[in-house]
Amino acid sequence: MSYYVYILRCADDTLYTGWTTDIEARTEAHNTGAGAKYTRGRGPVELAYQEELADKSAAMRRECAIKKLTRQEKLALIRNM
């Protein structure tokens, strides 16, 4: 099974970071209001960045690391994808 860390760009131009095993299903969940509380009312969202990781633990660690980045650092990560 693959694990992914992703960054979504919300309609209000904010960024949301999370992890999942199914990028398409999770993006759809965010767009239908069934995703994270943060993205409700900020849709539609679009996938801006994704990374595949080997296991859940690695994905959760990477998510935490990305969340600690500044907005500018996240945007640089997105640009360099």
Side-chain angles (χ1 to χ4, degrees):
M1 177 180 290
S2 294
Y3 293 85
Y4 301 90
V5 171
Y6 61 92
I7 299 176
L8 300 175
R9 184 181 306 272
C10 300
D12 64 359
D13 204 36
T14 58
L15 301 173
Y16 174 82
T17 304
W19 71 271
T20 187
T21 57
D22 186 337
I23 289 279
E24 290 178 16
R26 189 66 178 151
T27 303
E28 182 62 26
H30 284 290
N31 276 320
T32 60
K37 187 176 180 181
Y38 181 85
T39 58
R40 289 183 207 143
R42 287 184 162 87
V45 301
E46 66 177 35
L47 183 64
Y49 178 82
Q50 72 181 47
E51 265 182 54
E52 185 173 358
L53 294 118
D55 56 49
K56 182 178 176 180
S57 180
M60 293 176 77
R61 282 193 307 273
R62 183 63 175 144
E63 175 194 23
C64 185
I66 290 173
K67 285 184 172 185
K68 290 179 182 178
L69 298 176
T70 66
R71 177 179 173 80
Q72 292 307 317
E73 290 169 330
K74 290 176 190 175
L75 292 173
L77 191 63
I78 292 166
R79 278 192 302 272
N80 294 325
M81 184 169 104

